[in-house]
Amino acid sequence: MNHQKSDSYRRPVSRRTVLLLAGIPLLVASGCGVRALDPAGPAAAAIANLWRVMLALSIVIFVGVMATLAVAIWGRREDDEGRREKVGRHLVVIGGFLLPAIVILGLMAYNTYVSVDLEKPPSAPALTVSVRSNQWWWHVHYPDHDITTANEIHIPAGQSVALQLTSDDVIHAFWVPALQGKRDMMPDHVGHLWLQADEPGTYRGQCAEFCGRQHAKMEFLVISHEQEAFQSWVEERQAPRPELSDEQALRGEDVFMEYGCGDCHTIRGSDANGELGPDLTTLAARRELGAGTVANTRENLGAWILNAQAFKPGNLMPPVSMPDEDLQDLLVYLETLR
């Protein structure tokens, strides 16, 4: 009677279901983009190695569980009841307690080691950069060089850079996947992080904490230069603002002030000293507008000035109505800001 009952429950799960479950790790591994696992700095490399260890252990454990499940489904059923009960107890004790405890404790120890190691840069920081997050853009300041920009962080390659992170409104999170892990940015609190890019290049960063309507359009760029190129970048930003000689650019500067742009934005060397919006001193040299929303082209810049809400609804810049002649003069002036 017992033998007949055992036969009736011989295959509670189909082979197709088991094979599908066993293939999940392969699907996950194939879906992981190579770029996401291609670190460009020592901090990101340590984090990537931790992830790979966790993935490898997860696959081994998953395969072990699937193998145990297969044995339970298709294993021999004619074994005596006592032997099955004994084997079951061993599986519960070893597979359900001892092995998970060893794996979890090992991962906790390795994670702690990596976390502590990430707190200190491999060398003394070459410079300090202050980054303040806003809804939805990034204020970037170099206190040692008196340089202010927005949505771009320029650093020398192969050298550590100390970051001071804070927020102007809500909680944001600073994240450059290719260079470093995430770090929360909170109002009235200065957090600390470091970056290092092994090679010159451009690395995209993103706010990693949901911060409102345009959270997805709150990106920034970390641009790593060779040492000489970085020094040239610093010297160009520190140089006095050249006098305008082009008549259209001069009219554009007047348009900038007449329409109240200087009440919200700062342009070093001019009467514009607003702090509500991004510093525009080097606007023309930036690659993107609106914290990664669109490319910095003349057409996009003009459309952004007239109605930034069409690109990024909810941002603090209101629509501006101005004649086309004034707009063209203003664009010529803004294109001189490098």
Side-chain angles (χ1 to χ4, degrees):
M1 183 71 179
N2 290 338
H3 180 70
Q4 292 177 351
K5 182 177 181 181
S6 175
D7 286 343
S8 66
Y9 288 88
R10 188 179 183 94
R11 292 183 181 176
V13 181
S14 68
R15 296 189 182 189
R16 180 179 298 177
T17 301
V18 174
L19 292 175
L20 177 61
L21 292 174
I24 290 178
L26 297 177
L27 294 175
V28 172
S30 64
C32 296
V34 176
R35 293 182 180 179
L37 301 177
D38 186 20
I47 296 171
N49 288 336
L50 173 62
W51 184 88
R52 292 187 181 102
V53 170
M54 294 176 64
L55 177 64
L57 285 175
S58 299
I59 292 176
V60 170
I61 293 172
F62 187 86
V63 171
V65 171
M66 290 299 102
T68 304
L69 179 61
V71 171
I73 294 174
W74 294 302
R76 295 169 60 87
R77 293 292 178 176
E78 60 270 15
D79 291 344
D80 61 276
E81 186 71 23
R83 183 172 180 274
R84 289 203 303 271
E85 183 178 351
K86 183 178 180 180
V87 171
R89 284 200 303 269
H90 289 167
L91 284 175
V92 170
V93 173
I94 297 175
F97 177 73
L98 291 180
L99 287 180
I102 293 172
V103 170
I104 292 174
L105 289 174
L107 284 176
M108 287 178 60
Y110 184 39
N111 179 69
T112 301
Y113 169 78
V114 172
S115 299
V116 171
D117 192 49
L118 288 177
E119 289 300 315
K120 295 183 179 180
S123 59
L127 73 152
T128 298
V129 181
S130 174
V131 181
R132 188 176 74 240
S133 55
N134 304 265
Q135 289 180 309
W136 293 272
W137 59 280
W138 309 82
H139 177 276
V140 181
H141 180 65
Y142 295 73
D144 299 332
H145 302 88
D146 193 26
I147 297 173
T148 300
T149 184
N151 304 321
E152 289 185 357
I153 302 173
H154 293 256
I155 62 174
Q159 295 183 301
S160 300
V161 175
L163 299 179
Q164 298 174 343
L165 306 175
T166 189
S167 171
D168 229 9
D169 36 55
V170 300
I171 297 177
H172 300 272
F174 183 94
W175 187 33
V176 191
L179 300 180
Q180 183 54 281
K182 303 174 185 178
R183 185 62 56 92
D184 282 347
M185 306 172 72
M186 294 174 285
D188 303 321
H189 173 79
V190 178
H192 299 276
L193 192 66
W194 60 272
L195 289 180
Q196 179 172 320
D198 293 332
E199 302 291 339
T202 300
Y203 309 97
R204 187 167 294 277
Q206 171 71 46
C207 177
E209 183 79 23
F210 181 72
C211 55
R213 184 177 181 183
Q214 292 299 332
H215 163 69
K217 292 182 179 179
M218 188 174 172
E219 301 180 7
F220 62 95
L221 297 176
V222 176
I223 303 172
S224 173
H225 305 269
E226 293 285 2
Q227 182 59 45
E228 292 184 1
F230 176 74
Q231 190 59 40
S232 298
W233 179 85
V234 170
E235 292 173 357
E236 290 173 0
R237 299 306 177 273
Q238 291 178 328
R241 179 168 169 261
E243 292 291 333
L244 295 176
S245 57
D246 184 85
E247 291 186 5
Q248 191 174 11
L250 288 168
R251 290 196 303 271
E253 184 176 24
D254 293 336
V255 170
F256 185 87
M257 299 305 298
E258 288 172 6
Y259 280 84
C261 305
D263 296 334
C264 294
H265 299 280
T266 291
I267 296 178
R268 184 168 52 87
S270 76
D271 294 331
N273 56 7
E275 297 182 355
L276 185 61
D279 188 298
L280 301 182
T281 303
T282 59
L283 172 64
R286 296 174 197 162
R287 305 183 184 188
E288 298 173 338
L289 299 172
T293 303
V294 291
N296 187 4
T297 65
R298 184 186 180 92
E299 180 181 0
N300 286 339
L301 180 57
W304 179 276
I305 292 171
L306 294 178
N307 188 11
Q309 300 301 315
F311 294 91
K312 202 167 185 174
N315 79 88
L316 295 181
M317 183 168 174
V320 178
S321 178
M322 66 172 64
D324 185 66
E325 182 180 357
D326 286 350
L327 176 62
Q328 297 308 316
D329 292 343
L330 177 58
L331 291 174
V332 170
Y333 167 63
L334 295 176
E335 288 173 346
T336 68
L337 303 179
R338 295 185 173 276

